[in-house]
Amino acid sequence: MMHPSLLATIQWLTLSALLSIAMAADNNSTASAPIFLNCGASGVQPDSYNRSWDGDASSKFAPSVKGNVARASYQDPSLPSPVPYMTARFFTSNYTYSFPVSPGRMFVRLHFYPTNYNGNLDSANAYFGVTTNNLILLDNFNASQTALATSSAYFFREFSVNVTSSSLKLTFAPSTRNGSYAFVNGIEIVPTPDIFTTPTPTSANGGDNVQYGIDPVMGLQTMYRLNVGGQPISPQGDSGFYRSWDNDSPYIYGAAYGVTFSKDGNVTIKYPNTEPNYTAPVAVYATARSMGPTAQINLNYNLTWILPVDAGFTYLLRFHFCEIQYPITKVNQRSFFIYINNQTAQNQMDVIVWSGGIGRTTYTNYVVTTVGSGQTDLWVALHPDLSSKPEYFDAILNGLEVFKLQDLGRNNLAGLNPPLPPKPGVNPNGGSSRGKSKSVAPAAIGGAVGGLAVLLIACVGLCIICRRKKKVAKDTGKSDEGRWTPLTDFTKSQSATSGKTTNTGSHSMLPANLCRHFSFAEIQAATNNFDKSFLLGKGGFGNVYLGEIDSGTRVAIKRGNPLSEQGVHEFQNEIEMLSKLRHRHLVSLIGYCEDRNEMILVYDYMAHGTLREHLYNTKNPPLSWKQRLEICIGAARGLYYLHTGAKQTIIHRDVKTTNILLDDKWVAKVSDFGLSKAGPNVDNTHVSTVVKGSFGYLDPEYFRRQQLTEKSDVYSFGVVLFEVLCARNALSPSLPKEQVSLADWALRCQKKGVLGEIIDPLLKGKIAPQCFLKFAETAEKCVADRSVDRPSMGDVLWNLEFALQLQESTEDSSSLTEGTSASTSPLVVARLHSDEPSTDVTTTTTTTTSLSITDRSIASVESDGLTPSNIFSQLMTPDGR
Ligand SMILES: *[C@@H]1O[C@H](CO)[C@@H](O)[C@H](O)[C@H]1NC(C)=O
Ligand SMILES: *[C@@H]1O[C@H](CO)[C@@H](O)[C@H](O)[C@H]1NC(C)=O
Ligand SMILES: *[C@@H]1O[C@H](CO)[C@@H](O)[C@H](O)[C@H]1NC(C)=O
Ligand SMILES: *[C@@H]1O[C@H](CO)[C@@H](O)[C@H](O)[C@H]1NC(C)=O
Ligand SMILES: *[C@@H]1O[C@H](CO)[C@@H](O)[C@H](O)[C@H]1NC(C)=O
Ligand SMILES: *[C@@H]1O[C@H](CO)[C@@H](O)[C@H](O)[C@H]1NC(C)=O
Ligand SMILES: *[C@@H]1O[C@H](CO)[C@@H](O)[C@H](O)[C@H]1NC(C)=O
Ligand SMILES: *[C@@H]1O[C@H](CO)[C@@H](O)[C@H](O)[C@H]1NC(C)=O
Ligand SMILES: *[C@@H]1O[C@H](CO)[C@@H](O)[C@H](O)[C@H]1NC(C)=O
Ligand SMILES: *[C@@H]1O[C@H](CO)[C@@H](O)[C@H](O)[C@H]1NC(C)=O
């Protein structure tokens, strides 16, 4: 007996086979060669993928352009190569490039590097539209805003247009607003066959599988192209169309990441006759993400991706599938639902049925229409479908593409500029990747499975919480703060960095979700069998060793006590948290080992150790005040990310100077999430029964109310600030009673206006008075008795940046020299009354605007690596960039 959906599938396969034969006859469309135009440049130059870019100066595509060549004043380190980004063409009036092409479909990629050009042209003032022969690609487009919103210095937008004449015209039109101009750095034109109209997509709205034909003339914009469960794929790795494929993990909703894996060694990826091999590269099909090995867990959650898109358009979603591991080789072993926007798009999705066997590729198309304006989220979810009683309760996905369809009525593809993210760029490491971690994927299945089962139970809980939070956010009309930065513009930073192996050194090179599994033997080899001379220190979790892996990479290896019941929980907690959290100011987890009941975590090695080692009881040379400020700012940024950047609020719970580590470049990184707990909503009872954290840093309200909030971290961080200022322990039992607790003592001194007397003697005369006031005021507020009176981590961060700015401006005017030390220039320490208007005009103005610009300043810092002070001057002089 044949299942109805099977029948339908077979009919469908026959149909698409016929179609593809019909298509093959029309092979003229791919006849013309790709064009790579380096705007504002002359001559031929290669890019990082060794593609030859032709300068547009005196080229046949731009015969009449003159005078508006522009050179970027600054080469952002994230640029993969100077070509085509370091030059641009600026237009003050409409200009049309005319490209001779063979009629047919082609990718048009527009590259933008919004920055300052020629020292005086600021691309932030560019505001323009781009149209092809008859289609609006971009409208009122602000490239600077797009770059900010995606936390990337440069980006490209990819369109697919079907040109019906022998020339593709691209018109750059400055907006009518006075003084607007247009610019572009590079234009790619890559001919393709028709890759969109077949198989005919079905509509996902309503779940009744109505067909929705794609008009062959329709223009499309690529919104997402994801190599699910795999590494980013650079344009070079793609078969001739120069497409980029990104890692999908930044878009996964909640904490349920499922498991990723790559193909079994003896499986060969084969394209069926119905599917041309350019549909997607082998590497896309060779990796996948599934829900996990435990049926009961899978039944309780949806593996969900959230993809922000422009509302009011129709989208084509293409799912790429391939079964790549034994034992799934037969029909009805794995069957699942595909949901799009909470509607069933497909039931009984059985990859073997669609593809014809293990290693065979297939893809499906669905169309969904969104309503409204601005941005909206596409929800894509997978869940086991039990209706055919499959052998495994699981789902799989190898690749996902999302294309925006042209609005046929208005001949438009342009959406609004993306909103600036309310929070720092969420994946600032850019899911950086290195070839070697490819071997990681199979380990994720073999090794992590045991722990994941437990973790996933927690994840399901988290999902529910997240959902609840999200709903509240919607209801109150606020945007969802924890949302990931939409990458609708394909920031290429991921694939771009993958070629270079030794860039930042301290950044982990693993994609956000993958966590390397080490065998116990590898760990033994790395530490010379836990040799005492490799011991770096002892922590709450256990001993920390210096290790060396991959012949030369230094790592910190934390070995927990294998038998500790509580340790198991913290171990899994830490793996789960850390493997997802990637940030410049968090210590990156590289991997773990759980062979032989061992609990071993492998971290990036932090060459300069803990912050405390550089403050007191130390032989290390003292840190300057500015260095201390920068370290505090880094740590604050890490904590701010924990509180707001991830999908759920993460409370560190043990903020202290020994958990702030310093790498070889003195970048501060927050470490030790063994005690972390997801947001305040999660499992209150559990959180409140176990008091954790370190004495001297503990939020007094936590004791009273047994309630843990982000503000508990703010309190602890306030203690850190005082510790940095005063260079003494948070608790010093040997001192007179009123001085034992640093927080109490410093607060008392601050209120009496004599805090300046207890600061680190080495700092006397070195702190600019205004900076000191700002810093002390910030620390004071952090340790407020009631959590409602404490600032948020974002405010703390902003105030510290401000303090640094005050310090720097004073140092620049060199009023703080070695000569003017303690004796000649005593610090003026005024008491700041919270109920009195401040006498300091600067402080007042900036404080009132802090809320509105905090986000921007942080977003900018994350995106282009500017120092806080640079940002600050940009904020102070908005026109002066
Ligand atoms: C397609 O190719 C054929 C020869 O193979 C040629 O006669 C025809 O003009 C081409 N069509 C287009 C649109 O280029
Ligand atoms: C188109 O394909 C046919 C065979 O299918 C071949 O003979 C012809 O040369 C091809 N034309 C072009 C322009 O590639
Ligand atoms: C780059 O391409 C040129 C030809 O276009 C070739 O000669 C050269 O070997 C290539 N370089 C690399 C590194 O692939
Ligand atoms: C573009 O966006 C940036 C960042 O949001 C903003 O500063 C700039 O003023 C905008 N430019 C125009 C012309 O709107
Ligand atoms: C420039 O192009 C835009 C859009 O293509 C058009 O609306 C506008 O009228 C053009 N302006 C001029 C001066 O031709
Ligand atoms: C382009 O559009 C024309 C209709 O104008 C259609 O006949 C042709 O097949 C399309 N080409 C592709 C590659 O989709
Ligand atoms: C795709 O198939 C064609 C022949 O059909 C072959 O020439 C080409 O090398 C293949 N490309 C890839 C990337 O496998
Ligand atoms: C491939 O390897 C698996 C074990 O990993 C084995 O069960 C299977 O028989 C092998 N298949 C082939 C075709 O060699
Ligand atoms: C899907 O459902 C979730 C709740 O289960 C809701 O938060 C979300 O907004 C829905 N998505 C769409 C696109 O309707
Ligand atoms: C999965 O998503 C579908 C569609 O939104 C929803 O109906 C179902 O309740 C979800 N299942 C779980 C376990 O969340």
Side-chain angles (χ1 to χ4, degrees):
M1 172 188 84
M2 194 172 267
H3 201 277
S5 76
L6 256 178
L7 248 178
T9 308
I10 287 167
Q11 280 169 2
W12 183 99
L13 288 175
T14 322
L15 179 69
S16 48
L18 285 174
L19 274 172
S20 71
I21 290 162
M23 268 163 48
D26 176 21
N27 57 1
N28 294 30
S29 51
T30 55
S32 66
I35 295 170
F36 301 106
L37 193 67
N38 187 5
C39 303
S42 50
V44 180
Q45 293 169 66
D47 68 3
S48 52
Y49 309 116
N50 203 20
R51 300 181 292 186
S52 293
W53 290 72
D54 285 299
D56 72 345
S58 69
S59 89
K60 59 185 172 195
F61 311 120
S64 60
V65 284
K66 47 177 178 286
N68 36 22
V69 166
R71 246 205 110 65
S73 314
Y74 165 74
Q75 180 169 353
D76 191 278
S78 71
L79 292 176
S81 84
V83 177
Y85 300 103
M86 289 303 287
T87 58
R89 183 70 70 173
F90 274 71
F91 308 105
T92 48
S93 58
N94 285 7
Y95 182 78
T96 301
Y97 285 101
S98 228
F99 300 95
V101 293
S102 303
R105 192 161 277 287
M106 55 202 71
F107 281 126
V108 175
R109 299 194 182 98
L110 304 176
H111 293 256
F112 298 101
Y113 172 40
T115 183
N116 187 297
Y117 285 88
N118 294 351
N120 57 8
L121 274 170
D122 186 348
S123 60
N125 300 324
Y127 202 56
F128 58 101
V130 181
T131 51
T132 65
N133 305 33
N134 51 8
L135 177 62
I136 302 167
L137 301 183
L138 297 171
D139 190 25
N140 288 332
F141 176 64
N142 182 339
S144 298
Q145 171 142 355
T146 306
L148 274 181
T150 54
S151 298
S152 54
Y154 68 103
F155 62 92
F156 66 89
R157 289 222 157 158
E158 180 182 283
F159 305 92
S160 173
V161 295
N162 180 352
V163 180
T164 49
S165 68
S166 58
S167 117
L168 166 66
K169 297 194 186 324
L170 273 184
T171 302
F172 289 82
S175 103
T176 47
R177 213 156 75 182
N178 244 359
S180 293
Y181 46 85
F183 83 103
V184 63
N185 298 84
I187 301 172
E188 263 181 74
I189 295 169
V190 179
T192 69
D194 168 29
I195 47 177
F196 296 106
T197 59
T198 54
T200 306
T202 53
S203 172
N205 284 359
D208 40 9
N209 277 5
V210 177
Q211 293 214 324
Y212 185 109
I214 306 277
D215 190 325
V217 289
M218 185 112 68
L220 300 94
Q221 181 187 344
T222 309
M223 306 303 286
Y224 297 93
R225 184 175 285 131
L226 305 175
N227 180 15
V228 176
Q231 302 285 318
I233 300 171
S234 78
Q236 216 168 16
D238 188 44
S239 38
F241 300 159
Y242 305 102
R243 293 169 297 194
S244 301
W245 299 74
D246 293 340
N247 175 254
D248 67 311
S249 55
Y251 305 101
I252 290 189
Y253 173 56
Y257 276 59
V259 289
T260 60
F261 53 97
S262 51
K263 78 175 185 67
D264 191 288
N266 62 11
V267 168
T268 310
I269 307 285
K270 277 211 206 84
Y271 297 85
N273 297 334
T274 51
E275 184 180 327
N277 64 2
Y278 50 72
T279 305
V282 166
V284 168
Y285 293 110
T287 58
R289 187 182 297 279
S290 71
M291 296 186 76
T294 312
Q296 207 45 49
I297 290 168
N298 296 354
L299 289 178
N300 280 320
Y301 88 106
N302 284 344
L303 182 54
T304 306
W305 293 260
I306 293 194
L307 305 164
V309 294
D310 297 317
F313 285 90
T314 296
Y315 291 89
L316 169 65
L317 287 85
R318 174 166 296 177
F319 292 71
H320 296 272
F321 297 105
C322 187
E323 288 291 359
I324 47 177
Q325 284 210 342
Y326 299 96
I328 300 201
T329 57
K330 295 194 290 289
V331 168
N332 207 27
Q333 285 185 293
R334 167 142 64 191
S335 173
F336 54 95
F337 289 104
I338 301 173
Y339 299 116
I340 299 174
N341 278 355
N342 299 335
Q343 308 271 3
T344 305
Q346 183 71 53
N347 53 25
Q348 295 191 344
M349 179 67 214
D350 183 325
V351 176
I352 297 291
V353 169
W354 282 67
S355 69
I358 186 168
R360 296 304 194 93
T361 70
T362 188
Y363 65 95
T364 62
N365 286 339
Y366 308 97
V367 159
V368 65
T369 299
T370 62
V371 293
S373 62
Q375 276 209 329
T376 187
D377 288 332
L378 280 186
W379 286 58
V380 171
L382 306 179
H383 189 77
D385 182 350
L386 305 191
S387 60
S388 61
K389 301 200 169 49
E391 185 178 345
Y392 300 98
F393 296 179
D394 199 358
I396 181 177
L397 184 60
N398 306 64
L400 177 62
E401 292 176 281
V402 179
F403 305 100
K404 187 203 285 176
L405 302 185
Q406 165 185 357
D407 175 342
L408 280 173
R410 296 187 298 137
N411 285 334
N412 180 42
L413 263 176
L416 301 178
N417 289 306
L420 292 180
K423 300 300 166 209
V426 175
N427 199 4
N429 283 4
S432 48
S433 58
R434 192 158 59 187
K436 72 168 190 198
S437 44
K438 277 203 174 110
S439 59
V440 168
I445 255 204
V449 161
L452 277 168
V454 180
L455 295 178
L456 282 175
I457 293 172
C459 297
V460 173
L462 290 180
C463 286
I464 294 164
I465 303 289
C466 293
R467 197 166 295 155
R468 203 180 293 145
K469 267 173 77 179
K470 192 153 185 125
K471 191 167 187 325
V472 170
K474 281 242 162 78
D475 291 348
T476 53
K478 278 204 229 152
S479 68
D480 177 19
E481 312 231 295
R483 176 151 103 183
W484 293 71
T485 311
L487 287 185
T488 49
D489 310 277
F490 274 76
T491 72
K492 286 200 303 177
S493 50
Q494 307 194 332
S495 39
T497 51
S498 58
K500 302 168 193 157
T501 43
T502 52
N503 38 12
T504 47
S506 53
H507 285 217
S508 166
M509 291 298 162
L510 293 163
N513 64 320
L514 290 182
C515 200
R516 176 162 166 190
H517 179 260
F518 289 91
S519 70
F520 188 65
E522 280 176 284
I523 301 287
Q524 280 177 307
T527 56
N528 197 13
N529 200 16
F530 303 102
D531 192 310
K532 284 229 163 46
S533 64
F534 285 57
L535 198 61
L536 288 173
K538 291 177 201 256
F541 183 82
N543 288 349
V544 186
Y545 297 86
L546 175 62
E548 201 176 292
I549 57 167
D550 302 339
S551 49
T553 308
R554 291 206 289 178
V555 292
I557 294 179
K558 264 192 186 183
R559 185 187 196 186
N561 177 353
L563 297 171
S564 144
E565 179 88 8
Q566 189 195 13
V568 171
H569 183 77
E570 289 183 357
F571 181 61
Q572 289 164 345
N573 201 356
E574 185 137 359
I575 291 181
E576 187 201 345
M577 291 281 175
L578 267 177
S579 58
K580 287 196 318 250
L581 298 171
R582 302 270 154 196
H583 190 273
R584 179 173 157 81
H585 296 288
L586 297 182
V587 174
S588 297
L589 180 69
I590 294 172
Y592 65 99
C593 166
E594 57 175 9
D595 292 5
R596 304 205 216 157
N597 287 335
E598 285 280 350
M599 294 192 301
I600 296 171
L601 295 171
V602 181
Y603 292 92
D604 270 344
Y605 173 65
M606 295 292 125
H608 282 122
T610 71
L611 170 58
R612 183 175 300 174
E613 290 165 48
H614 298 274
L615 290 177
Y616 48 91
N617 301 341
T618 176
K619 291 197 183 73
N620 289 320
L623 298 170
S624 73
W625 177 239
K626 211 175 125 184
Q627 270 179 309
R628 296 186 202 195
L629 272 176
E630 278 162 355
I631 288 166
C632 290
I633 287 169
R637 208 169 269 152
L639 288 172
Y640 179 54
Y641 170 76
L642 285 180
H643 288 179
T644 59
K647 281 167 204 164
Q648 75 271 355
T649 301
I650 290 162
I651 302 170
H652 185 290
R653 302 214 297 169
D654 199 12
V655 176
K656 54 184 177 185
T657 43
T658 48
N659 276 338
I660 297 172
L661 304 185
L662 302 168
D663 76 2
D664 52 345
K665 302 196 180 61
W666 298 98
V667 175
K669 309 213 179 213
V670 176
S671 85
D672 204 349
F673 300 88
L675 300 176
S676 301
K677 263 271 172 271
N681 295 341
V682 174
D683 195 4
N684 267 330
T685 50
H686 182 86
V687 172
S688 57
T689 49
V690 192
V691 173
K692 289 188 178 167
S694 303
F695 287 99
Y697 293 93
L698 266 182
D699 173 6
E701 197 171 75
Y702 182 24
F703 280 120
R704 288 198 300 273
R705 295 236 196 117
Q706 296 285 294
Q707 211 177 49
L708 194 70
T709 68
E710 307 94 289
K711 296 292 182 70
S712 310
D713 284 350
V714 172
Y715 182 91
S716 309
F717 191 70
V719 180
V720 167
L721 293 180
F722 280 128
E723 215 176 323
V724 165
L725 182 68
C726 304
R728 58 152 278 194
N729 262 313
L731 277 187
S732 298
S734 58
L735 289 173
K737 194 164 156 244
E738 73 274 15
Q739 298 184 21
V740 167
S741 157
L742 173 61
D744 291 351
W745 178 233
L747 199 57
R748 195 172 312 165
C749 293
Q750 164 75 352
K751 292 216 191 292
K752 278 202 252 164
V754 295
L755 182 64
E757 291 168 16
I758 65 162
I759 68 170
D760 185 349
L762 295 167
L763 293 175
K764 291 225 165 109
K766 302 273 168 63
I767 309 179
Q770 292 303 328
C771 171
F772 179 82
L773 284 181
K774 192 83 220 157
F775 187 90
E777 177 203 26
T778 307
E780 176 187 6
K781 285 190 177 148
C782 288
V783 297
D785 190 53
R786 299 185 327 149
S787 62
V788 293
D789 299 329
R790 296 175 208 149
S792 73
M793 214 56 224
D795 289 343
V796 174
L797 174 53
W798 196 90
N799 278 290
L800 291 175
E801 284 179 350
F802 186 35
L804 177 64
Q805 176 68 17
L806 293 169
Q807 180 72 18
E808 285 179 338
S809 55
T810 312
E811 281 180 15
D812 287 349
S813 63
S814 61
S815 63
L816 287 174
T817 57
E818 289 300 309
T820 61
S821 58
S823 53
T824 55
S825 147
L827 286 166
V828 187
V829 180
R831 180 182 159 193
L832 279 178
H833 300 273
S834 50
D835 49 353
E836 268 176 34
S838 166
T839 49
D840 177 356
V841 175
T842 324
T843 309
T844 322
T845 357
T846 19
T847 308
T848 49
T849 54
S850 71
L851 278 177
S852 56
I853 61 179
T854 297
D855 297 331
R856 161 132 185 240
S857 87
I858 290 153
S860 330
V861 170
E862 293 303 334
S863 62
D864 47 28
L866 293 173
T867 64
S869 45
N870 286 349
I871 286 303
F872 197 81
S873 31
Q874 286 174 21
L875 295 176
M876 300 291 277
T877 53
D879 303 320
R881 269 187 88 169

